Amino acid sequence: MARVDDKDMGSDLQSVLISKEEIDAKLAELAAKIDAEYAGKDLLIVGVLKGAVMVMADLARALSTPVTMDWMAVSSYGAGTQSSGVVRILKDLDTDIKGKHVLIVEDIIDSGLTLSWLLSNLGSREPASLEVCTLLRKPDAAKVAIEVKWIGFDIPNEFVVGYGLDFAEKYRNLPFVGTLAPHVYGG
Ligand SMILES: O=P(O)(O)OC[C@H]1O[C@H](OP(=O)(O)OP(=O)(O)O)[C@H](O)[C@@H]1O
Ligand code: HPA
Ligand SMILES: [Mg+2]
């Protein structure tokens, strides 16, 4: 697929759900709240690869608080659009988080399985605090008991791509969040 923009979305995309401008404004808003929360504290932000790369990069630059950054790669999805429910660590943190203020940064909470597993895994490492910031959240996340302090947008239960989010590893570099045409994933 050729690179697309808001005017020429290409036949694979159905609609632009959240524009680049809306994402930028929301991240500025979230960053101000996070700055206030962690004033005077050392904060480690943990990005969940690969989807959270764009949110991490833009949120980190919107923050005034100095942060350190680490990355974790876990996978609960195969090539399709359904979570397998089995979470595997593909890359662990480089740093020991014991006694640190940790903020997990995610692109999306869908079934909530990835985050639920991450919270218990990282929580067992005795951080001083452990919170979550996600750009997107889908309705199914309510079925899992997880506490998410900062949420960008609550979105409907449709498969979305762009701004880090992929379908079969494609579309991550779109600057906006869009819905995928059902024919692309056989819906
Ligand atoms: O709430 P859930 O249903 O668990 O889904 C959310 C997770 O799934 C996606 O990651 P994925 O495992 O597909 O890897 P990726 O970030 O490399 O795309 C997404 O980036 C979240 O991490
Ligand atoms: O809607 C989605 N899009 C892309 N990746 C995802 N991972 C969970 N839900 C989604
Ligand atoms: Mg991810």
Side-chain angles (χ1 to χ4, degrees), residues 110-113 115-116 140-147:
D110 191 332
S111 69
L113 292 172
L115 192 62
S116 161
D140 280 354
K143 296 177 190 162
V144 181
I146 42 177
E147 222 184 286

Side-chain angles (χ1 to χ4, degrees), residues 77 81 107-111 138 155 158-161 165-167:
Y77 282 75
T81 59
D107 51 343
I108 190 166
I109 306 173
D110 191 332
S111 69
K138 287 200 200 174
I155 61 167
E158 280 178 84
F159 199 78
V160 290
V161 294
L165 292 142
D166 73 305
F167 173 66

Side-chain angles (χ1 to χ4, degrees), residues 26-38 63 149-151:
K26 185 61 76 175
L27 290 182
E29 206 182 285
L30 291 173
K33 291 180 183 163
I34 294 168
D35 277 334
E37 178 78 21
Y38 295 98
L63 289 168
K149 192 151 189 165
W150 293 288
I151 299 154

Side-chain angles (χ1 to χ4, degrees), residues 48-52 74-77 83 106-115 164-166 169 172:
V48 187
L49 294 168
K50 302 170 205 164
V74 296
S75 185
S76 62
Y77 282 75
S83 173
E106 263 289 25
D107 51 343
I108 190 166
I109 306 173
D110 191 332
S111 69
L113 292 172
T114 303
L115 192 62
L165 292 142
D166 73 305
E169 296 300 327
R172 290 195 200 270

Side-chain angles (χ1 to χ4, degrees), residues 155-184:
I155 61 167
N157 201 9
E158 280 178 84
F159 199 78
V160 290
V161 294
Y163 201 71
L165 292 142
D166 73 305
F167 173 66
E169 296 300 327
K170 285 164 67 183
Y171 316 106
R172 290 195 200 270
N173 66 318
L174 296 175
F176 56 87
V177 174
T179 55
L180 203 53
H183 76 83
V184 180

